[in-house]
């Protein structure tokens, strides 16, 4: 059975892939099929997805949905058994083997590869930084184009700076989209020389004809002098109307590379035929950010794609210290250019008689879709099989869905209640029982009050720093829910087996991330304990101080409004994401942007909002038992019923879709069974999400209806988006759906 490096083997080497370009995406796919034991792979990119250059003009023209051109980097890293850190590199020390991110985080590496692309920013053009839109990076351009199309104005002129293939192709696509949507405005291409240099005369003639047909105005021998919000000023004094100015006038290297000590050629990283930097055989570069010393080539995606198998082989050879396995990259001298013409037509240019028309578009479309399918239909980790003679029940257990991370991995409410029923009551006067709450109230001899709680989570991300932020926010939820102020915390860390320098780095990342959040809340990390196990698991014991009576589950009043400060659905998203992608299984159901947004929210503390809710009649954080389970606890303790509106429930983006496909967290059946007879029957994804376990969930509070609008405004200023989801009512402790 092929197994992943992080799951079955201790990690001894760190490979950093800096940038989610096409070459690295293909390397990750190959890694998913053939991982290298002992290697921890990390992809670093600020975005959860990367735009595929081949389909961007088609999307701009309106021929594809946005999701069609997004390479899901989070899905790729998961399939490869790699970790993904969403960040932007801004310094590299190849001698010390350290990479710094823009947030100050420093990562060690044994081998590093750059695939960070280029920018088409125009720093020397006045006003461009404020009003212009670089054509690269592609994702940023896609966002700007969507914003432009979403304006209320029905018209808008566009100026494209640069008359190469990329600029003309974009101009044709934009003109087609504006015409299709019935918008007024002219798209103009501004080129300092003549357009389409490097393209054959026949292909140029076809593209010029397409421009004429779409009303694209080509302005040659013209140079821009200034960009404003409404126009483009040329050096000869002419003003060109332009509500959007796009820079496509050539590739610029990223400035921060100049401080790395790497050999650069016009700002691009110089590499040899092995795709390595000459001075540092452990540093590689590919794609547009690299300059091939022996065989310089234009910045074209075809080279990046063909570099992937060579880079994959050479990374493995270097990590294994097997120089005899290194391969040379030999780029082709001529390559096929397939250029979109705005409409569903394209030009094929490779030195032969030029081909053009609708059938060339279909040819290009098949090539592009095949490439994207290769990066979407990802291999899945095979499930272990029970050996012959295994104990009864093992095969069925192995056939179950994988155990979830976060709160989805916890013991169900039935088993937990049965275990807690065996715990004898304390006779200590300084410990106040709080039935149903997940924390203890401890009173000091001087009358002081402390809340003590503990929680731990099976990792939902292999980014240790991000997981630490999620885990500490999750643990603080019990303190916040009882109206206390965080004071201190102890960490409990289980690290996967890895080399000692990697362990030291992971512990430093975890403690620094947790301490940062605690410090912002006025608390401190005061120590902890660590051990080595099979996977990353983080827990925190937290202490909070109280200057008033605690907010418990038992104080709810009839007529109280039930408010929720965070969407639900984290459990189903995390469950869906961890099951991976593959043909016929979970394909495309958890999108990288949805998962990234979820993880960022789970790592965001909400102490300021909790402080505003310290006068709530009853309150709890929504975690492992799901919204319905925690609401039922309030109803039981307050001896009241509840009316709950399914339509009002706030949901994490993508959660309803994933739940509708039948995905469930490991603990979901136990959560549902625990509420039989206590909640109204229902069906559909929204109903099922009532029992979805939440990791680092928000607060569920029962508050008076009076002053609710003012409270909501205060909570929004505190950084949360509160939603009224129902109310408490007289009657039995049951939940009625309304």
């Amino acid at each position: 059975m092929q197994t992943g490096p992080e799951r079955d083997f201790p990690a001894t080497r760190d490979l950093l892939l800096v940038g989610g370009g096409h070459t690295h995406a293909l390397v990750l796919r190959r890694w998913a099929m053939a991982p290298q034991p002992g290697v921890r792979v990390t992809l670093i990119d600020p975005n959860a997805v990367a735009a595929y250059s081949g389909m961007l003009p088609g999307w701009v023209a309106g021929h594809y949905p946005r999701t069609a051109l997004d390479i899901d980097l989070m899905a790729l890293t998961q399939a490869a058994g790699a970790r993904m850190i969403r960040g932007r590199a801004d310094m590299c020390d190849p001698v010390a083997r350290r990479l710094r991110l823009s947030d100050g985080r420093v990562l060690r590496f044994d081998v590093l590869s750059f695939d960070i692309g280029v920018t088409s920013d125009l720093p020397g053009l006045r006003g461009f930084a404020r009003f212009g839109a670089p054509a690269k990076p592609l994702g940023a351009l896609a966002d700007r184009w969507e914003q432009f199309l979403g304006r209320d104005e029905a018209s808008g002129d566009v100026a494209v700076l640069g008359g190469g293939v990329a600029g003309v192709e974009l101009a044709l696509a934009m003109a087609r989209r504006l015409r299709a949507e019935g918008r007024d405005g002219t798209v103009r291409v501004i080129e300092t020389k003549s357009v389409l240099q490097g393209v054959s005369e026949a292909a140029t003639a076809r593209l010029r004809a397409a421009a004429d047909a779409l009303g694209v105005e080509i302005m040659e021998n013209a140079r821009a002098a200034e960009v404003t919000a409404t126009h483009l000023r040329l050096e000869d004094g002419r003003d060109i109307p332009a509500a959007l100015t796009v820079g496509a006038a050539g590739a610029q290297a990223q400035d921060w590379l100049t401080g790395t000590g790497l050999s650069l050629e016009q700002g691009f990283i110089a590499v040899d035929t092995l795709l390595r930097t000459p001075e540092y055989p452990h540093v590689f570069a590919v794609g547009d950010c690299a300059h091939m010393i022996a065989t310089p080539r234009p910045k074209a995606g075809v080279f990046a794609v063909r570099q992937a198998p060579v880079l994959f082989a050479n990374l493995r050879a270097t990590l294994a210290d097997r120089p005899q396995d290194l391969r040379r990259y030999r780029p082709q001298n001529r390559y096929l250019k397939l250029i979109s013409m705005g409409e569903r037509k394209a030009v094929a240019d490779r030195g032969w008689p030029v081909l053009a028309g609708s059938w060339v578009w279909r040819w290009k479309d098949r090539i592009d879709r095949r490439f994207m399918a290769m990066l979407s239909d990802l291999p899945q980790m095979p499930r272990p099989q029970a050996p012959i003679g295994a104990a009864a029940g093992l095969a069925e257990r192995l056939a179950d869905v994988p155990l979830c991370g976060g709160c989805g991995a916890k013991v169900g409410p039935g088993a937990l209640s049965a275990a807690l029923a065996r715990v004898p009551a304390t006779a200590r006067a300084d410990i106040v029982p709080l039935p149903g709450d997940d924390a203890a109230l401890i009173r000091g001899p001087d009358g002081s009050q402390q809340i003590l709680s503990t929680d731990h989570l099976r990792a939902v991300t292999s980014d240790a720093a991000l997981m630490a932020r999620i885990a500490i926010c999750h643990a603080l939820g019990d303190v916040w829910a009882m109206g206390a102020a965080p004071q201190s915390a102890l960490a409990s860390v289980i690290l996967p087996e890895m080399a000692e320098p990697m362990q030291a780095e992971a512990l430093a990342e975890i403690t620094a991330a947790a301490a940062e959040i605690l410090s912002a809340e006025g608390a401190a990390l005061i120590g902890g304990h660590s051990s080595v196990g099979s996977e990353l698991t983080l827990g925190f014991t937290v202490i909070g101080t109280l200057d008033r009576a605690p907010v418990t589950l038992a104080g709810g009043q009839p007529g109280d409004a039930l408010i929720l400060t965070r969407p639900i659905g984290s459990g189903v998203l995390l469950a869906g994401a961890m099951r991976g992608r593959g043909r016929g299984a979970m394909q495309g159901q958890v999108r990288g942007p949805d998962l990234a947004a979820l993880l960022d929210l789970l790592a965001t503390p909400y102490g300021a909002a909790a402080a505003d809710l310290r006068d709530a009649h009853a309150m709890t954080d929504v975690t492992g038992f799901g919204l319905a389970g925690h609401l039922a606890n309030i109803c039981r303790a307050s001896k009241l019923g509840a009316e709950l509106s399914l339509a009002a429930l706030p949901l994490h983006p993508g959660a309803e879709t994933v739940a509708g496909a039948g995905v469930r967290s490991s603990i979901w059946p136990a959560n549902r069974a625990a509420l039989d007879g206590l909640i109204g029957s229902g069906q559909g994804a929204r109903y099922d999400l009532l029992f979805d376990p939440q990791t680092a969930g928000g607060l569920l509070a029962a508050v008076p209806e009076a002053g609710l609008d003012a409270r909501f405004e205060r909570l929004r200023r505190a950084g949360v988006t509160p939603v009224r989801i129902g109310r408490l009512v007289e009657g039995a402790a049951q939940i009625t759906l309304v």
Side-chain angles (χ1 to χ4, degrees), residues 22 51-58 64 138 169 338 340 361 364 368:
H22 298 356
Y52 170 46
S53 58
M55 297 177 79
L56 181 72
Y64 300 117
L138 301 177
E169 197 174 27
L338 291 172
S340 302
W361 162 268
K364 181 181 185 304
D368 290 336

Side-chain angles (χ1 to χ4, degrees), residues 378-710:
L378 303 175
Q380 287 187 294
M381 187 73 69
R383 299 300 307 279
Q385 301 296 313
I388 297 174
L394 179 60
E396 291 78 9
R397 183 68 177 174
L398 292 175
D400 287 345
V401 296
L403 183 65
C404 290
C407 261
K410 292 192 173 182
V411 174
L416 182 61
S417 297
L420 292 177
R422 296 171 177 263
V423 178
T426 180
R428 295 185 61 105
D430 55 355
I431 299 177
V432 181
L434 298 172
D437 280 298
D438 296 333
L441 174 62
I442 300 175
R443 286 183 175 150
D446 58 352
S448 62
Q449 298 183 114
Q450 290 182 315
I451 294 295
L452 177 65
S453 182
T454 190
D455 214 324
H456 74 275
L457 297 172
R458 185 170 181 253
V460 298
T461 171
S462 53
D463 180 349
L466 177 59
M467 188 61 221
R469 291 194 288 271
I470 293 172
I472 189 62
C473 287
H474 182 84
L476 287 171
D478 289 326
V479 170
W480 285 325
M482 301 189 75
Q487 181 204 57
S488 57
L490 292 164
S492 178
V493 180
I494 301 176
L495 292 176
E497 190 176 359
M498 61 180 72
E500 188 171 341
M502 300 169 74
Q503 288 181 345
E505 181 189 51
L507 281 173
E509 290 180 353
I510 290 165
T511 54
E516 181 182 4
I517 284 185
L518 286 166
S519 177
E521 295 295 320
L525 182 65
I526 58 175
H529 180 76
S530 64
S531 63
V532 175
S534 60
E535 60 185 356
L536 179 63
T537 302
L538 298 182
F540 292 92
T541 298
V542 294
I543 297 174
T545 59
L546 272 172
D547 58 4
R548 62 178 71 189
V551 184
T552 68
L553 302 173
Q557 301 294 317
D560 277 350
L562 293 169
I563 64 173
L564 188 63
T565 65
R566 183 165 284 184
I568 62 171
S570 65
V572 75
L573 286 174
L574 295 173
M578 72 169 294
R579 295 177 198 181
R581 311 293 206 277
R583 292 180 178 87
M586 293 305 301
Q587 181 62 23
Q589 290 182 4
V590 182
R591 299 176 58 248
D594 291 342
L595 183 58
L598 171 68
L599 295 175
D600 287 344
L601 182 61
L602 301 189
T604 302
Y606 51 87
D612 186 83
L613 288 166
R614 286 191 301 169
D615 62 345
H617 291 158
M619 187 159 59
T620 181
D621 58 331
V622 180
T623 54
F625 298 160
L627 175 61
H630 288 283
L631 176 55
N633 285 343
I634 289 180
C635 290
R636 292 189 190 101
S638 298
K639 297 181 174 56
L640 294 171
E643 294 178 348
L644 180 64
S645 170
L646 282 180
L649 294 181
L651 306 180
H652 287 292
E656 191 165 8
T657 298
V658 179
V663 178
R664 300 290 181 269
S665 294
S666 307
I667 197 179
W668 188 92
N671 282 350
R672 178 66 187 89
L675 295 178
D676 278 345
L678 295 177
I679 187 171
S681 60
Q683 58 184 356
R686 279 184 166 265
Y687 179 77
D688 290 344
L689 287 171
L690 290 174
F691 315 102
D692 187 53
Q694 303 303 292
T695 298
L699 297 171
L700 173 64
V703 299
E705 282 278 1
L708 199 58
D709 290 342

Side-chain angles (χ1 to χ4, degrees), residues 130-146:
R130 181 179 180 186
F131 300 109
K136 291 186 178 182
L138 301 177
L141 173 64
D143 293 340
R144 284 294 297 273
W145 181 240
E146 283 186 320

Side-chain angles (χ1 to χ4, degrees), residues 299-365:
K299 304 299 182 186
V302 63
F303 300 114
V305 169
R306 296 193 179 187
Q307 286 172 339
V310 177
L311 178 64
F312 176 72
N314 290 352
L315 290 174
R316 294 173 70 89
T318 304
L319 288 159
D321 196 19
R322 291 180 57 85
Q324 65 271 26
D325 293 339
L326 291 167
R327 293 172 50 183
R328 297 188 182 280
Y329 172 65
R330 297 179 174 86
Q332 66 272 39
N333 291 320
R334 298 165 61 191
Y335 63 96
L336 174 64
K337 302 183 186 77
L338 291 172
I339 308 169
S340 302
M341 302 171 67
E343 301 291 351
R344 291 179 184 266
K345 297 179 181 180
V347 172
D349 185 26
R350 195 177 184 270
W352 56 40
V354 168
L355 306 174
S358 299
W359 72 272
V360 180
W361 162 268
R362 292 192 294 271
W363 179 24
K364 181 181 185 304
D365 179 61

Side-chain angles (χ1 to χ4, degrees), residues 91-248:
M91 181 53 67
C92 177
D93 184 341
V95 177
R97 304 196 187 203
R98 294 290 185 270
L99 182 82
R100 188 185 70 193
L101 306 185
S102 57
D103 62 2
R105 185 173 176 182
V106 178
L107 304 174
R108 66 174 300 278
F109 62 86
D110 296 290
V111 177
L112 179 144
S113 178
F114 287 104
D115 189 9
I116 57 176
V118 295
T119 177
S120 52
D121 195 7
L122 300 170
L125 178 58
R126 190 164 60 251
F128 187 83
R130 181 179 180 186
F131 300 109
K136 291 186 178 182
L138 301 177
L141 173 64
D143 293 340
R144 284 294 297 273
W145 181 240
E146 283 186 320
Q147 294 169 10
F148 178 75
L149 294 176
R151 301 181 316 152
D152 293 334
E153 295 91 339
S155 64
D157 295 281
V158 179
V160 178
L161 304 179
V165 169
V168 171
E169 197 174 27
L170 275 176
L172 296 176
M174 290 174 169
R176 189 272 168 191
R177 182 68 170 272
L178 294 177
R179 174 179 290 188
E181 295 192 1
R183 294 172 180 256
D184 297 328
T186 301
V187 179
R188 297 175 176 87
V189 177
I190 290 86
E191 170 56 48
T192 58
K193 299 177 182 177
S194 58
V195 297
L196 296 170
Q197 294 191 20
V199 179
S200 68
E201 290 185 9
T204 297
R206 295 290 189 116
L207 292 167
R208 283 183 177 272
D212 290 341
L214 288 168
V216 173
E217 184 178 335
I218 294 177
M219 303 177 66
E220 296 174 300
N221 301 310
R223 189 178 298 275
E226 182 181 5
V227 179
T228 74
T230 58
H231 68 272
L232 173 71
R233 178 161 296 157
L234 302 182
E235 284 190 346
D236 61 12
R238 286 180 292 172
D239 282 346
I240 307 299
L244 175 66
T245 298
V246 176

